[in-house]
Amino acid sequence: MRLTSVNVGTALRLGDLLTGICKQSYDGPIDVSTLGLVGDAVCDRQYHGGPDQAVYVYGGDDYAYWSEEHALDLDPGTFGDNLTVSELTSLSVCVGDRFLINDVVLEATAPRIPCATLGRRMDDPKFPVAFRKAQRSGFYCRVLKEGVVQAGSEVTHVPTTDPDSLSILDMFELYYEPNPSSERLRHALATPIAIRDRERLSERLDKLNA
């Protein structure tokens, strides 16, 4: 696997919305801190950014899906991904999987859930529905070890050793499940998911047990 592109965004307006989703490839080395790529804009901090969603990764194989199945020729960073990785699909990733890039160590924490901002980015209000159906969500990561990344660097995928691991796809589907069982919620909560998801799922579990 290779780091095809490193993508950084500045705060721009899409209509009346200020967003950092519009990212451009960055050619040189760039620092990665526990809060993400240095200089990358995060505007909606209620849903984006923070230590558990510091870096958004999207696979080259997933971009190929959009080209082959939907005839969309998309540049790296189109979906707001910070890191675009060749020979990778989010369908093969589990919560807790780690990705090593130079000295940087990332840990997968959550799928990306499509929202209206993505529709504006694609100039198509129906695109979030297509993104949902495609199940090619990409995934957020926490930064376990800070360092420097650069396009072209080798990427090593280290799968979690948890025998009860939760796939990114399962986590993605759980978000849309109207009535998940307590067992399914507990399973997710037993994995190193992002704090926003942990709070949301814990609340759902508490309601089931009330």
Side-chain angles (χ1 to χ4, degrees):
M1 291 179 179
R2 289 281 170 185
L3 187 54
T4 304
S5 183
V6 177
N7 313 302
V8 178
T10 56
L12 296 174
R13 287 201 173 274
L14 292 178
D16 60 352
L17 180 69
L18 186 67
T19 176
I21 196 174
C22 300
K23 301 193 186 301
Q24 300 293 323
S25 294
Y26 188 89
D27 290 334
I30 190 166
D31 291 328
V32 181
S33 77
T34 55
L35 292 178
L37 274 63
V38 172
D40 184 53
V42 178
C43 298
D44 185 358
R45 295 184 180 275
Q46 181 178 357
Y47 299 107
H48 300 288
D52 282 355
Q53 294 179 202
V55 177
Y56 178 42
V57 178
Y58 207 78
D61 288 356
D62 290 332
Y63 269 120
Y65 161 84
W66 291 104
S67 175
E68 295 164 4
E69 300 297 327
H70 295 269
L72 291 174
D73 185 16
L74 304 175
D75 293 327
T78 295
F79 295 141
D81 39 305
N82 298 115
L83 305 179
T84 313
V85 178
S86 69
E87 302 174 60
L88 175 67
T89 171
S90 50
L91 299 176
S92 68
V93 177
C94 290
V95 172
D97 283 8
R98 296 185 177 183
F99 293 83
L100 317 182
I101 311 171
N102 300 330
D103 291 334
V104 174
V105 180
L106 306 176
E107 183 176 67
T109 62
R112 191 265 185 78
I113 303 300
C115 60
T117 303
L118 181 60
R120 294 191 186 191
R121 172 71 175 100
M122 302 301 294
D123 196 25
D124 179 1
K126 295 182 180 179
F127 188 80
V129 176
F131 193 88
R132 155 77 178 94
K133 291 180 178 178
Q135 299 180 320
R136 308 277 181 147
S137 65
F139 53 95
Y140 290 108
C141 295
R142 60 173 62 93
V143 179
L144 298 181
K145 185 178 180 182
E146 299 178 327
V148 176
V149 299
Q150 185 170 6
S153 296
E154 182 178 355
V155 180
T156 301
H157 179 189
V158 182
T160 178
T161 58
D162 183 357
D164 296 319
S165 60
L166 178 74
S167 73
I168 288 294
L169 177 57
D170 284 343
M171 189 68 189
F172 186 69
E173 290 301 311
L174 181 58
Y175 181 88
Y176 295 98
E177 173 59 51
N179 297 299
S181 67
S182 59
E183 290 78 10
R184 193 173 181 192
L185 292 172
R186 289 192 184 96
H187 177 207
L189 289 167
T191 67
I193 58 176
I195 185 62
R196 290 181 180 91
D197 290 311
R198 183 168 300 281
E199 291 172 347
R200 179 176 54 82
L201 296 182
S202 294
E203 183 178 346
R204 296 185 78 174
L205 183 60
D206 288 343
K207 288 180 178 178
L208 279 178
N209 294 332

